[in-house]
Coordinates of all heavy atoms in Angstrom, one line a residue:
G1333 N 73.4 101.1 99.4 CA 73.1 100.7 100.7 C 73.1 99.2 100.9 O 73.5 98.7 101.9
S1334 N 72.6 98.5 99.9 CA 72.5 97.1 99.9 C 73.9 96.5 100.0 O 74.2 95.6 100.8 CB 71.8 96.6 98.6 OG 70.6 97.1 98.5
L1335 N 74.8 97.0 99.2 CA 76.2 96.5 99.2 C 76.9 96.8 100.5 O 77.6 95.9 101.1 CB 77.0 97.1 98.0 CG 78.4 96.5 97.9 CD1 78.4 95.1 97.7 CD2 79.0 97.2 96.6
Q1336 N 76.6 98.0 101.1 CA 77.2 98.3 102.4 C 76.7 97.3 103.4 O 77.5 96.9 104.3 CB 76.8 99.8 102.7 CG 77.3 100.1 104.1 CD 78.8 100.1 104.3 OE1 79.5 100.5 103.4 NE2 79.3 99.8 105.5
Y1337 N 75.5 97.0 103.4 CA 74.9 96.1 104.4 C 75.5 94.8 104.4 O 76.0 94.2 105.4 CB 73.4 96.0 104.3 CG 72.8 95.0 105.3 CD1 72.7 95.4 106.7 CD2 72.6 93.7 105.0 CE1 72.2 94.5 107.6 CE2 72.1 92.8 105.9 CZ 71.9 93.2 107.2 OH 71.5 92.3 108.1
I1338 N 75.6 94.2 103.1 CA 76.2 92.9 102.9 C 77.6 92.8 103.3 O 78.1 91.9 104.0 CB 76.0 92.4 101.5 CG1 74.5 92.1 101.2 CG2 76.8 91.1 101.2 CD1 74.2 91.7 99.8
E1339 N 78.4 93.9 102.9 CA 79.8 93.9 103.3 C 80.0 93.9 104.8 O 80.8 93.3 105.4 CB 80.5 95.1 102.7 CG 80.7 95.0 101.2 CD 81.4 96.2 100.6 OE1 81.3 97.3 101.2 OE2 82.0 96.1 99.5
S1340 N 79.1 94.7 105.5 CA 79.2 94.7 107.0 C 78.8 93.4 107.6 O 79.4 92.9 108.5 CB 78.3 95.8 107.6 OG 78.7 97.1 107.1
L1341 N 77.7 92.8 107.0 CA 77.3 91.5 107.5 C 78.3 90.4 107.4 O 78.5 89.6 108.2 CB 76.0 91.1 106.8 CG 75.3 89.9 107.2 CD1 74.7 90.0 108.6 CD2 74.2 89.5 106.2
C1342 N 78.9 90.4 106.2 CA 79.9 89.4 105.9 C 81.3 89.8 106.3 O 82.3 89.1 106.0 CB 79.9 89.0 104.4 SG 78.3 88.2 103.9
K1343 N 81.5 90.9 107.0 CA 82.8 91.4 107.6 C 83.8 91.5 106.5 O 85.0 91.2 106.7 CB 83.3 90.4 108.7 CG 82.3 90.0 109.7 CD 82.1 91.1 110.7 CE 81.3 90.6 111.9 NZ 79.9 90.7 111.9
S1344 N 83.4 92.1 105.4 CA 84.3 92.3 104.3 C 85.4 93.4 104.7 O 85.1 94.4 105.4 CB 83.5 92.9 103.1 OG 84.5 93.3 102.1
A1345 N 86.6 93.2 104.3 CA 87.7 94.1 104.6 C 87.5 95.4 104.0 O 88.1 96.4 104.4 CB 89.0 93.5 104.2
Q1346 N 86.7 95.4 102.9 CA 86.5 96.6 102.1 C 85.2 97.4 102.6 O 84.9 98.5 102.0 CB 86.3 96.3 100.6 CG 87.5 95.7 100.0 CD 87.2 95.1 98.6 OE1 86.1 94.8 98.3 NE2 88.2 95.0 97.8
A1347 N 84.5 97.0 103.6 CA 83.3 97.6 104.0 C 83.5 99.1 104.3 O 82.7 99.9 103.9 CB 82.7 96.9 105.2
N1348 N 84.4 99.5 105.1 CA 84.6 100.8 105.4 C 85.1 101.7 104.2 O 84.7 102.8 104.1 CB 85.6 101.0 106.6 CG 85.0 100.5 107.9 OD1 83.8 100.5 108.0 ND2 85.8 100.1 108.8
D1349 N 85.9 101.1 103.4 CA 86.3 101.8 102.2 C 85.1 102.1 101.3 O 85.0 103.3 100.8 CB 87.3 100.9 101.3 CG 88.6 100.8 102.1 OD1 88.9 101.5 103.0 OD2 89.4 99.8 101.7
W1350 N 84.2 101.2 101.1 CA 83.0 101.5 100.3 C 82.2 102.6 100.8 O 81.8 103.5 100.1 CB 82.2 100.2 100.2 CG 80.9 100.4 99.5 CD1 79.7 100.5 100.1 CD2 80.6 100.5 98.1 NE1 78.7 100.6 99.2 CE2 79.3 100.7 97.9 CE3 81.5 100.5 97.0 CZ2 78.7 100.8 96.7 CZ3 80.9 100.6 95.8 CH2 79.5 100.8 95.6
R1351 N 81.9 102.6 102.1 CA 81.1 103.6 102.7 C 81.8 105.0 102.6 O 81.2 106.0 102.2 CB 80.8 103.3 104.1 CG 79.8 104.3 104.7 CD 79.4 103.9 106.2 NE 78.3 104.7 106.6 CZ 77.0 104.4 106.5 NH1 76.7 103.2 105.9 NH2 76.1 105.1 106.9
D1352 N 83.1 105.0 102.8 CA 83.9 106.3 102.7 C 83.9 106.8 101.2 O 83.6 108.0 101.0 CB 85.3 106.1 103.1 CG 85.4 105.8 104.6 OD1 84.5 106.1 105.4 OD2 86.5 105.3 105.0
D1353 N 84.1 105.9 100.3 CA 84.1 106.2 98.9 C 82.7 106.8 98.5 O 82.6 107.8 97.8 CB 84.4 105.1 98.0 CG 85.9 104.7 98.1 OD1 86.7 105.4 98.6 OD2 86.2 103.6 97.6
M1354 N 81.6 106.2 98.9 CA 80.3 106.6 98.6 C 80.0 108.0 99.2 O 79.3 108.9 98.7 CB 79.2 105.6 99.0 CG 79.2 104.4 98.2 SD 79.0 104.7 96.4 CE 80.6 104.6 95.8
S1355 N 80.5 108.2 100.4 CA 80.3 109.5 101.1 C 81.0 110.6 100.3 O 80.4 111.7 100.1 CB 80.8 109.5 102.5 OG 80.0 108.7 103.3
K1356 N 82.2 110.3 99.8 CA 82.9 111.3 99.0 C 82.2 111.6 97.7 O 82.1 112.7 97.3 CB 84.4 110.8 98.8 CG 85.2 110.8 100.0 CD 86.6 110.2 99.8 CE 87.4 110.0 101.0 NZ 88.6 109.3 100.8
L1357 N 81.8 110.5 97.1 CA 81.1 110.7 95.8 C 79.8 111.5 96.0 O 79.5 112.4 95.2 CB 80.7 109.3 95.2 CG 80.0 109.3 93.9 CD1 80.8 110.0 92.8 CD2 79.7 107.9 93.5
L1358 N 79.0 111.2 97.0 CA 77.8 111.9 97.3 C 78.1 113.4 97.5 O 77.4 114.3 97.0 CB 77.1 111.3 98.5 CG 75.8 112.0 98.9 CD1 74.8 111.8 97.8 CD2 75.3 111.4 100.2
A1359 N 79.1 113.7 98.3 CA 79.5 115.1 98.6 C 79.8 115.8 97.3 O 79.4 117.0 97.1 CB 80.6 115.2 99.6
A1360 N 80.6 115.2 96.4 CA 81.0 115.8 95.2 C 79.8 116.0 94.2 O 79.7 116.9 93.5 CB 82.1 115.0 94.5
E1361 N 78.9 115.0 94.2 CA 77.8 114.9 93.2 C 76.7 115.9 93.5 O 76.1 116.4 92.6 CB 77.3 113.5 93.2 CG 76.3 113.3 92.1 CD 76.8 113.3 90.7 OE1 77.9 113.1 90.4 OE2 75.9 113.7 89.8
V1362 N 76.4 116.2 94.8 CA 75.3 117.0 95.2 C 75.7 118.2 96.0 O 75.0 118.6 96.9 CB 74.2 116.1 95.9 CG1 73.7 115.0 95.1 CG2 74.8 115.5 97.2
A1363 N 76.9 118.7 95.7 CA 77.5 119.8 96.6 C 76.5 120.8 97.1 O 76.4 121.1 98.2 CB 78.6 120.4 95.8
N1364 N 75.8 121.4 96.2 CA 74.9 122.5 96.6 C 73.4 122.2 96.2 O 72.6 123.1 95.9 CB 75.3 123.8 95.9 CG 76.6 124.3 96.5 OD1 76.8 124.4 97.7 ND2 77.5 124.6 95.6
E1365 N 73.1 120.9 96.3 CA 71.7 120.5 96.0 C 71.1 119.6 97.1 O 71.1 118.4 97.0 CB 71.7 119.7 94.7 CG 72.3 120.4 93.5 CD 72.5 119.5 92.3 OE1 71.4 119.3 91.7 OE2 73.5 119.2 92.0
P1366 N 70.6 120.3 98.2 CA 70.2 119.5 99.3 C 69.0 118.5 99.0 O 69.0 117.4 99.6 CB 69.7 120.5 100.3 CG 69.7 121.9 99.6 CD 70.5 121.7 98.4
Q1367 N 68.1 118.9 98.1 CA 67.0 118.0 97.8 C 67.6 116.7 97.1 O 67.1 115.6 97.4 CB 66.0 118.6 97.0 CG 65.2 119.7 97.7 CD 64.2 120.4 96.9 OE1 64.4 120.6 95.7 NE2 63.2 120.9 97.5
R1368 N 68.5 116.9 96.2 CA 69.1 115.8 95.5 C 69.9 114.9 96.5 O 69.8 113.7 96.4 CB 70.0 116.3 94.4 CG 70.5 115.2 93.4 CD 71.1 115.9 92.2 NE 71.6 114.8 91.3 CZ 72.7 114.9 90.7 NH1 73.5 115.9 90.9 NH2 73.1 113.9 89.9
Q1369 N 70.6 115.5 97.4 CA 71.3 114.7 98.4 C 70.3 113.9 99.3 O 70.6 112.8 99.6 CB 72.1 115.7 99.3 CG 72.9 114.9 100.4 CD 73.8 115.7 101.2 OE1 73.9 117.0 101.0 NE2 74.5 115.2 102.1
E1370 N 69.2 114.5 99.6 CA 68.2 113.8 100.4 C 67.6 112.6 99.6 O 67.5 111.5 100.2 CB 67.0 114.7 100.7 CG 67.4 115.7 101.8 CD 66.2 116.7 102.0 OE1 65.1 116.4 101.6 OE2 66.5 117.7 102.7
R1371 N 67.5 112.7 98.3 CA 67.0 111.6 97.5 C 68.1 110.4 97.4 O 67.7 109.3 97.6 CB 66.6 112.0 96.1 CG 65.3 112.8 96.0 CD 64.8 113.0 94.5 NE 65.8 113.3 93.6 CZ 66.2 114.6 93.2 NH1 65.6 115.6 93.8 NH2 67.1 114.7 92.3
F1372 N 69.3 110.9 97.2 CA 70.3 109.9 97.2 C 70.5 109.1 98.5 O 70.6 107.9 98.6 CB 71.7 110.5 96.8 CG 71.8 110.8 95.3 CD1 70.8 110.7 94.4 CD2 73.1 111.2 94.8 CE1 70.9 111.0 93.1 CE2 73.2 111.5 93.4 CZ 72.1 111.4 92.6
T1373 N 70.5 109.9 99.6 CA 70.6 109.3 100.9 C 69.4 108.4 101.2 O 69.6 107.3 101.7 CB 70.7 110.4 102.0 OG1 71.8 111.2 101.7 CG2 70.8 109.8 103.4
A1374 N 68.2 108.8 100.8 CA 67.0 108.0 101.0 C 67.2 106.7 100.2 O 66.8 105.6 100.7 CB 65.8 108.7 100.6
A1375 N 67.6 106.7 99.0 CA 67.8 105.5 98.2 C 68.9 104.6 98.8 O 68.7 103.4 98.9 CB 68.3 105.9 96.8
F1376 N 70.0 105.1 99.3 CA 71.0 104.4 100.0 C 70.4 103.6 101.2 O 70.5 102.4 101.4 CB 72.1 105.2 100.5 CG 73.2 104.6 101.2 CD1 74.4 104.0 100.6 CD2 73.1 104.3 102.6 CE1 75.4 103.4 101.2 CE2 74.1 103.7 103.3 CZ 75.3 103.2 102.6
N1377 N 69.6 104.4 102.0 CA 69.0 103.8 103.2 C 68.0 102.8 102.9 O 67.8 101.8 103.6 CB 68.4 104.9 104.1 CG 69.5 105.8 104.7 OD1 70.6 105.4 104.9 ND2 69.1 107.0 105.1
R1378 N 67.2 103.0 101.8 CA 66.2 102.0 101.4 C 66.9 100.7 101.1 O 66.5 99.6 101.5 CB 65.4 102.4 100.2 CG 64.1 103.1 100.5 CD 63.2 103.3 99.3 NE 63.9 103.9 98.2 CZ 64.2 105.1 97.9 NH1 63.7 106.1 98.9 NH2 64.7 105.6 96.9
G1379 N 68.0 100.7 100.3 CA 68.7 99.6 100.0 C 69.3 98.8 101.2 O 69.2 97.6 101.4
Y1380 N 69.8 99.6 102.1 CA 70.4 99.0 103.4 C 69.3 98.3 104.1 O 69.4 97.2 104.5 CB 71.0 100.2 104.2 CG 71.8 99.7 105.3 CD1 73.2 99.6 105.3 CD2 71.2 99.4 106.6 CE1 74.0 99.2 106.3 CE2 72.0 99.0 107.6 CZ 73.4 98.8 107.5 OH 74.1 98.4 108.6
R1381 N 68.2 99.0 104.3 CA 67.1 98.4 105.1 C 66.5 97.2 104.5 O 66.1 96.2 105.1 CB 66.0 99.5 105.4 CG 66.3 100.5 106.5 CD 65.1 101.3 106.9 NE 64.5 102.0 105.8 CZ 64.8 103.3 105.4 NH1 65.8 104.0 106.1 NH2 64.3 103.8 104.4
T1382 N 66.4 97.3 103.1 CA 65.8 96.1 102.4 C 66.6 94.9 102.6 O 66.1 93.8 102.9 CB 65.7 96.5 100.9 OG1 64.8 97.6 100.7 CG2 65.2 95.3 100.1
F1383 N 67.9 95.0 102.4 CA 68.8 93.9 102.6 C 68.9 93.4 104.1 O 68.9 92.2 104.3 CB 70.2 94.2 102.0 CG 70.3 93.7 100.6 CD1 69.5 94.3 99.6 CD2 71.2 92.8 100.2 CE1 69.6 93.9 98.3 CE2 71.3 92.4 98.9 CZ 70.5 93.0 97.9
A1384 N 68.7 94.4 105.0 CA 68.7 94.0 106.4 C 67.5 93.2 106.8 O 67.5 92.3 107.6 CB 68.7 95.3 107.3
A1385 N 66.4 93.4 106.0 CA 65.2 92.6 106.3 C 65.3 91.2 105.7 O 64.7 90.3 106.1 CB 64.0 93.4 105.6
V1386 N 66.1 91.1 104.7 CA 66.2 89.8 103.9 C 67.4 89.0 104.5 O 67.2 87.8 104.7 CB 66.4 90.1 102.4 CG1 66.7 88.8 101.7 CG2 65.2 90.7 101.9
Y1387 N 68.5 89.6 104.7 CA 69.7 88.8 105.1 C 70.0 89.1 106.6 O 70.3 90.3 106.9 CB 70.9 89.2 104.3 CG 70.7 88.9 102.8 CD1 70.4 89.8 101.9 CD2 70.9 87.5 102.4 CE1 70.3 89.5 100.5 CE2 70.8 87.2 101.0 CZ 70.4 88.2 100.1 OH 70.3 87.9 98.8
T1388 N 69.9 88.1 107.4 CA 70.3 88.3 108.8 C 71.6 87.6 109.2 O 72.0 87.8 110.3 CB 69.1 87.7 109.7 OG1 69.0 86.3 109.4 CG2 67.8 88.5 109.5
E1389 N 72.1 86.9 108.2 CA 73.5 86.3 108.5 C 74.2 86.2 107.1 O 73.5 86.2 106.1 CB 73.4 85.0 109.2 CG 72.5 83.9 108.4 CD 72.4 82.6 109.3 OE1 71.9 82.8 110.4 OE2 72.7 81.6 108.8
C1390 N 75.4 86.1 107.2 CA 76.2 86.0 105.9 C 76.1 84.6 105.3 O 76.6 83.6 105.8 CB 77.7 86.3 106.2 SG 78.7 86.4 104.7
T1391 N 75.3 84.5 104.3 CA 75.1 83.2 103.6 C 75.7 83.2 102.2 O 76.2 84.2 101.7 CB 73.5 82.9 103.5 OG1 73.0 84.0 102.6 CG2 72.8 83.0 104.8
A1392 N 75.6 82.1 101.6 CA 76.1 82.0 100.2 C 75.4 82.9 99.3 O 75.9 83.6 98.4 CB 76.1 80.6 99.7
N1393 N 74.1 83.0 99.5 CA 73.2 83.9 98.7 C 73.6 85.4 99.0 O 73.6 86.2 98.0 CB 71.7 83.7 99.0 CG 71.2 82.5 98.4 OD1 71.8 81.9 97.4 ND2 70.1 82.0 98.9
A1394 N 73.9 85.8 100.2 CA 74.4 87.1 100.5 C 75.7 87.4 99.8 O 75.8 88.5 99.2 CB 74.5 87.3 102.0
K1395 N 76.6 86.5 99.8 CA 77.8 86.7 99.1 C 77.6 86.7 97.6 O 78.3 87.5 96.9 CB 78.9 85.6 99.5 CG 79.3 85.7 100.9 CD 80.3 84.6 101.2 CE 80.8 84.7 102.7 NZ 81.7 83.6 103.0
A1396 N 76.7 86.0 97.1 CA 76.4 86.0 95.6 C 75.8 87.4 95.3 O 76.2 87.9 94.2 CB 75.5 84.9 95.3
A1397 N 75.0 87.9 96.2 CA 74.4 89.2 95.9 C 75.4 90.3 95.9 O 75.5 91.2 95.0 CB 73.3 89.5 97.0
E1398 N 76.4 90.2 96.8 CA 77.5 91.2 96.9 C 78.3 91.1 95.6 O 78.6 92.2 95.0 CB 78.4 90.9 98.1 CG 79.6 91.8 98.1 CD 80.6 91.5 99.2 OE1 80.4 90.5 99.9 OE2 81.5 92.3 99.4
K1399 N 78.6 89.9 95.1 CA 79.4 89.7 93.9 C 78.6 90.3 92.7 O 79.2 91.0 91.8 CB 79.7 88.3 93.6 CG 80.5 88.0 92.4 CD 80.8 86.5 92.3 CE 81.7 86.2 91.1 NZ 82.0 84.8 91.0
T1400 N 77.3 90.0 92.6 CA 76.5 90.6 91.5 C 76.4 92.1 91.6 O 76.6 92.7 90.5 CB 75.0 90.0 91.6 OG1 75.1 88.6 91.6 CG2 74.1 90.6 90.6
Y1401 N 76.3 92.7 92.7 CA 76.2 94.1 92.8 C 77.6 94.8 92.4 O 77.6 95.8 91.8 CB 75.8 94.6 94.2 CG 74.4 94.7 94.4 CD1 73.5 93.6 94.1 CD2 73.7 95.8 95.0 CE1 72.2 93.7 94.2 CE2 72.4 95.9 95.2 CZ 71.6 94.8 94.8 OH 70.2 94.9 94.9
R1402 N 78.7 94.2 92.8 CA 80.0 94.7 92.5 C 80.2 94.6 91.0 O 80.7 95.5 90.4 CB 81.1 93.9 93.2 CG 81.3 94.2 94.6 CD 82.4 93.5 95.2 NE 82.6 93.9 96.5 CZ 83.2 95.1 96.9 NH1 83.6 95.9 96.0 NH2 83.3 95.4 98.2
H1403 N 79.8 93.5 90.3 CA 79.9 93.4 88.9 C 79.0 94.4 88.1 O 79.5 95.0 87.2 CB 79.5 91.9 88.5 CG 79.5 91.7 87.0 ND1 80.7 91.6 86.3 CD2 78.6 91.6 86.1 CE1 80.5 91.4 85.0 NE2 79.2 91.4 84.9
E1404 N 77.8 94.6 88.6 CA 76.9 95.6 88.0 C 77.5 97.0 88.1 O 77.4 97.8 87.2 CB 75.5 95.5 88.6 CG 74.7 94.3 88.2 CD 73.4 94.2 88.9 OE1 73.1 95.1 89.7 OE2 72.7 93.2 88.7
G1405 N 78.1 97.3 89.3 CA 78.7 98.6 89.5 C 79.8 98.8 88.5 O 80.0 99.9 88.0
A1406 N 80.7 97.8 88.4 CA 81.9 97.9 87.5 C 81.4 98.0 86.1 O 82.0 98.9 85.3 CB 82.7 96.7 87.7
T1407 N 80.4 97.4 85.7 CA 79.9 97.4 84.3 C 79.3 98.8 84.1 O 79.6 99.4 83.0 CB 78.8 96.4 84.1 OG1 79.4 95.1 84.3 CG2 78.2 96.5 82.7
L1408 N 78.5 99.3 85.0 CA 78.0 100.7 84.9 C 79.1 101.7 84.8 O 79.0 102.7 83.9 CB 77.0 101.0 86.0 CG 75.7 100.4 86.0 CD1 75.0 100.6 87.3 CD2 74.9 100.9 84.8
A1409 N 80.1 101.6 85.6 CA 81.2 102.6 85.6 C 81.9 102.6 84.2 O 82.2 103.6 83.7 CB 82.2 102.3 86.7
Q1410 N 82.1 101.4 83.7 CA 82.8 101.2 82.5 C 81.9 101.8 81.3 O 82.4 102.5 80.4 CB 83.1 99.8 82.2 CG 83.9 99.5 80.9 CD 84.2 98.1 80.7 OE1 83.7 97.2 81.4 NE2 85.1 97.8 79.8
E1411 N 80.7 101.5 81.3 CA 79.8 102.0 80.3 C 79.7 103.5 80.3 O 79.7 104.2 79.3 CB 78.4 101.4 80.4 CG 78.4 100.0 80.0 CD 77.0 99.3 80.2 OE1 76.1 99.9 80.7 OE2 76.9 98.1 80.0
I1412 N 79.6 104.1 81.6 CA 79.5 105.6 81.7 C 80.8 106.2 81.2 O 80.7 107.2 80.4 CB 79.2 106.0 83.1 CG1 77.7 105.6 83.5 CG2 79.4 107.5 83.4 CD1 77.4 105.6 84.9
T1413 N 81.9 105.6 81.6 CA 83.2 106.2 81.1 C 83.3 106.1 79.6 O 83.8 107.1 78.9 CB 84.3 105.4 81.8 OG1 84.2 105.6 83.2 CG2 85.7 106.0 81.4
S1414 N 83.0 105.0 79.0 CA 83.1 104.9 77.5 C 82.1 105.8 76.8 O 82.4 106.3 75.7 CB 83.0 103.4 77.1 OG 81.7 103.0 77.3
R1415 N 81.0 106.0 77.4 CA 80.0 106.8 76.7 C 80.3 108.3 76.9 O 80.1 109.1 75.9 CB 78.6 106.5 77.2 CG 77.5 107.4 76.5 CD 76.2 107.0 76.9 NE 75.8 105.7 76.4 CZ 74.6 105.2 76.5 NH1 73.7 105.7 77.3 NH2 74.4 104.0 75.9
F1416 N 80.7 108.8 78.1 CA 80.8 110.2 78.4 C 82.2 110.6 78.6 O 82.4 111.8 78.9 CB 79.9 110.5 79.6 CG 78.5 110.2 79.4 CD1 77.9 109.1 80.0 CD2 77.7 111.0 78.6 CE1 76.6 108.8 79.9 CE2 76.3 110.7 78.4 CZ 75.8 109.6 79.0
G1417 N 83.1 109.8 78.5 CA 84.5 110.1 78.7 C 84.8 110.1 80.2 O 84.0 109.9 81.1
N1418 N 86.1 110.3 80.5 CA 86.5 110.2 81.9 C 86.9 111.5 82.4 O 87.0 112.4 82.7 CB 87.6 109.2 82.2 CG 88.7 109.3 81.2 OD1 88.7 110.2 80.4 ND2 89.7 108.4 81.4

């Protein structure tokens, strides 16, 4: 949610792609688990609201946060793939 907010705030060309990708991932991950889907959706919304409360305009700090989140996400994806296979 945090990354989605920053991308929208900073008018990133990838903003819609990110939200679409996360929606597809969520649908696949929690297919028949409504309570789990609610928890994931709530976490996404918390991140979105938290960043909305902190960042009201696209600043250098907002862009730095976006870069950090993207790096952390890529690192996690790589670690999960290497540990559990693809």
Side-chain angles (χ1 to χ4, degrees):
S1334 302
L1335 186 55
Q1336 174 63 37
Y1337 178 78
I1338 291 175
E1339 287 181 337
S1340 297
L1341 182 67
C1342 293
K1343 310 283 191 273
S1344 173
Q1346 298 172 332
N1348 289 333
D1349 292 341
W1350 172 257
R1351 187 175 193 94
D1352 292 344
D1353 289 346
M1354 289 302 100
S1355 292
K1356 290 175 190 172
L1357 179 62
L1358 180 64
E1361 185 67 26
V1362 297
N1364 293 310
E1365 302 175 73
Q1367 291 177 331
R1368 192 167 178 223
Q1369 181 174 1
E1370 287 176 15
R1371 286 195 316 269
F1372 282 11
T1373 301
F1376 179 94
N1377 291 337
R1378 267 192 312 278
Y1380 191 95
R1381 284 191 303 268
T1382 298
F1383 270 58
V1386 174
Y1387 298 102
T1388 56
E1389 57 187 56
C1390 185
T1391 63
N1393 285 340
K1395 289 180 181 181
E1398 178 183 7
K1399 184 177 180 179
T1400 298
Y1401 273 50
R1402 284 186 177 282
H1403 178 72
E1404 288 176 4
T1407 300
L1408 284 171
Q1410 184 178 14
E1411 289 175 0
I1412 289 168
T1413 301
S1414 67
R1415 180 176 288 182
F1416 300 105
N1418 47 2

